[in-house]
Each structure stands twice: as structure tokens, then as C-alpha cells.
Amino acid sequence: MILIDGKKTSSDIKSEIAARVAEIKAEGGKIPHLAAILVGSDGASQTYVNAKVKACGECGFESTLVRLDETVSEAELLKVVEEINENPEIDGLIVQLPLPKHISVEKVTNKIKPEKDVDGFTPANVGRMALNWPAYVAATPYGIIELLKRYDIETSGKHCVVIGRSHIVGSPMSILMARNGYPGNATVTLTHSRTKNLEEIARSADILIVALGKPEFVTADMVKPGAVVIDVGIHRIEDSSKKSGFRLIGDVKFDEVAAKASAITPVPGGVGPMTIASLLYNTLLSAEKKVYS
């Protein structure tokens, strides 16, 4: 069984990005610049944004963090987005989710220029991805694709089952795995909470990608021997044996599924670290005008 190490792979990608940024600097080119907007004081969101800012520094990027109060109006937030859209010094813009309930995520997402949408959430980038045109691919799906590629996992002609249909992971993942290319050329079944015979369908998968958001939902009896299992879920549960008082688990019951799989991502240390690496890669593409020239 191969343990797919996202932590090491993301570190490799960040080193590659840092090397390219050093070349750009030596050539007198423009250093990539990522801007992040954080609304409110949610602890998890602050942790995520701080990790992204730190990663920018590690790769030699410039970064800007805009902090807004939770009571900020939708109009005020949209104005900040517009200002960053029009700032030629900034290459990528992310708005950390979730947003307060009085703000429309769709309005904010649609306000971001596709050229700066390094999260890959705007309709323009989703559409370009579906057409297999140059696009900023959403960070988590892109990270999974990169893991499959770097671990030389065969996808052509394989049956890939995706559990979960979110706009952030499941839906784009199903499109990417079906596209003509590598990784891709798979026969894809997209399943979700209302799928009948889900267990039976999961057992038919050569590649099982689980992004349902339910702790340890996938058990060994749902996995075909030798399948590749990608666990996108992350949940914090109480554990008195740990110094922190908790531990992290995924959507897959790791120990029993790992015994049947040919390759599997752990939680933590699997898909999670790849998300930031993918975000940085998209920002580098933006700075070098590789997608929207």
C-alpha cells in the first residue's frame, strides 16, 4: 500500500515555485502578489489565511491581507474587491469563506475578475476548466490531480467514483477526471447523499474520491481491493489521549480501508496541504500571464 504524502508533495511544489520566483527576481520581472480578504474573526478562517500568507513568504511572493469587521456591508466588501481588481500590482485575490450570512457568496465571487480568481470559483474559470481550456482550477481538485500525477497513478480507462457534489471539490473533480489528458480519461460516476446503492457503486471504483463531509463515512466494505482512495474530508473529534484533546480524521475510516487500498491519502497530511500549494501555483500562473494573456 502506497501512502500518498501530500505534505511532502506540497513542500516539493512550494520549492519549485520559490525557485521560479528567484529566477523572475533575477530577471527583473514582477514578483507574484496575492491578496486575501478576511471578514470577521472566525478562528479557523484566521488560521487558514495566516497559513496562506506564511506560504507566500516561503515562496518569495508579496502578500496583502485585508481584514474587515464582521458587520461590514455587502456593498463595502464589493467595493474592496473592485479596488483589488483594478490594482495592477496584485495578481491573485481570494476571499476567505465562510462569509457572514448577510453577504452573498455568489455576488462576491462574481465580482472577482476571472484573471485574478486564483481560487478558481468564478463561472468563467469553471467553464474554461470544463472545456479543457487554460484556467485557474479550484485549489483542492487541482491538488488531487497533482497528487495522482506525481504518484504515477494510472487513470485512463479506470472507473472513478466521486462521493460528494460540492462546487468546490466534487463537481469540478468529476470534470477533471473525465477530461482528455493525464490525469483524466477516466469513466466517472458522481454520487452524493441521495444516490441509491451508493455502497455498491463505491465498491466498483478503481479510484474513489471522497468529499462528502461525513466523518469516517467510507468503510472497508465499500472499497474494492486494490482501489486508490483519496480522502478530502477533515474533522476534529475529541480524543483525551492527545495533548491537544482532539485529533483529526477524514471521510474515510483510514485503518481498515488502508488495508484494502493500493494507495491512500492520510488525514491529516494528504489532500489538505496541497490546497495552499495549488493556490500559490495559480498565483504564479497569473503573475506570468499563463492563463489570461
Side-chain angles (χ1 to χ4, degrees), residues 35-53 64-72 77 80-81 84 93-100 103 108:
I37 298 175
L38 175 62
V39 181
S41 55
D42 177 75
S45 292
Q46 290 192 69
T47 299
Y48 295 146
V49 168
N50 289 339
K52 291 167 185 174
V53 170
T64 297
L65 175 55
V66 180
R67 294 178 180 271
L68 300 172
D69 193 82
E70 192 167 353
T71 59
V72 68
L77 174 56
V80 173
V81 170
I84 295 174
L93 167 61
I94 59 170
V95 179
Q96 184 63 47
L97 302 178
L99 292 172
I103 296 174
V108 173

Side-chain angles (χ1 to χ4, degrees), residues 220-277:
D221 62 327
M222 295 173 65
V223 178
K224 179 166 75 172
V228 174
V229 180
I230 306 294
D231 188 352
V232 185
I234 185 161
H235 313 275
R236 191 165 88 165
I237 63 169
E238 291 183 7
D239 187 341
S240 58
S241 69
K242 301 290 184 182
K243 187 178 179 182
S244 62
F246 68 87
R247 62 186 173 94
L248 299 175
I249 60 172
D251 285 358
V252 173
K253 202 159 189 177
F254 180 84
D255 290 341
E256 62 178 57
V257 171
K260 291 183 75 174
S262 63
I264 189 170
T265 58
V267 176
V271 173
M274 295 296 294
T275 301
I276 291 180

Side-chain angles (χ1 to χ4, degrees), residues 4-293:
I4 300 174
D5 190 342
K7 192 172 181 181
K8 181 188 180 300
T9 306
S10 69
S11 179
D12 291 344
I13 292 171
K14 285 191 281 188
S15 294
E16 293 163 12
I17 292 171
R20 177 57 191 144
V21 172
E23 289 176 358
I24 292 171
K25 196 170 185 178
E27 295 164 359
K30 184 187 177 307
I31 303 301
H33 188 159
L34 175 67
I37 298 175
L38 175 62
V39 181
S41 55
D42 177 75
S45 292
Q46 290 192 69
T47 299
Y48 295 146
V49 168
N50 289 339
K52 291 167 185 174
V53 170
K54 181 183 176 185
C56 282
E58 292 170 354
C59 291
F61 284 20
E62 294 179 1
S63 62
T64 297
L65 175 55
V66 180
R67 294 178 180 271
L68 300 172
D69 193 82
E70 192 167 353
T71 59
V72 68
S73 70
E74 184 177 88
E76 289 170 322
L77 174 56
L78 292 173
K79 185 178 178 183
V80 173
V81 170
E82 184 61 32
E83 288 170 355
I84 295 174
N85 277 341
E86 300 308 316
N87 186 338
E89 295 302 313
I90 295 175
D91 303 296
L93 167 61
I94 59 170
V95 179
Q96 184 63 47
L97 302 178
L99 292 172
K101 290 181 180 179
H102 66 278
I103 296 174
S104 165
V105 174
E106 288 77 15
K107 279 187 183 179
V108 173
T109 299
N110 288 335
K111 191 69 172 178
I112 299 171
K113 264 188 177 179
E115 296 89 339
K116 297 192 179 187
D117 168 38
V118 290
D119 258 337
F121 291 163
T122 61
N125 279 309
V126 173
R128 290 171 71 104
M129 175 202 67
L131 293 168
N132 209 358
W133 292 3
Y136 301 125
V137 177
T140 300
Y142 179 80
I144 295 169
I145 288 293
E146 198 64 20
L147 285 174
L148 295 172
K149 185 191 298 182
R150 293 188 182 227
Y151 276 83
D152 295 319
I153 291 170
E154 183 58 63
T155 59
S156 181
K158 301 295 183 181
H159 184 204
C160 174
V161 173
V162 180
I163 303 180
R165 57 180 168 182
S166 74
H167 297 314
I168 295 173
V169 182
S171 292
M173 202 67 242
S174 66
I175 294 168
L176 290 168
M177 291 300 289
R179 290 196 316 185
N180 185 14
Y182 177 73
N185 283 320
T187 300
V188 181
T189 303
L190 178 62
T191 68
H192 45 81
S193 59
R194 297 190 183 184
T195 300
K196 293 180 180 178
N197 304 321
L198 178 56
E199 292 81 3
E200 182 182 340
I201 294 169
R203 275 193 296 274
S204 71
D206 301 304
I207 301 169
L208 184 62
I209 300 172
V210 190
L212 192 63
K214 292 186 177 180
E216 298 187 332
F217 176 82
V218 171
T219 51
D221 62 327
M222 295 173 65
V223 178
K224 179 166 75 172
V228 174
V229 180
I230 306 294
D231 188 352
V232 185
I234 185 161
H235 313 275
R236 191 165 88 165
I237 63 169
E238 291 183 7
D239 187 341
S240 58
S241 69
K242 301 290 184 182
K243 187 178 179 182
S244 62
F246 68 87
R247 62 186 173 94
L248 299 175
I249 60 172
D251 285 358
V252 173
K253 202 159 189 177
F254 180 84
D255 290 341
E256 62 178 57
V257 171
K260 291 183 75 174
S262 63
I264 189 170
T265 58
V267 176
V271 173
M274 295 296 294
T275 301
I276 291 180
S278 303
L279 184 67
L280 295 172
Y281 179 72
N282 279 345
T283 305
L284 177 62
L285 288 178
S286 179
E288 296 199 275
K289 305 291 189 263
K290 292 284 182 71
V291 174
Y292 293 87
S293 55

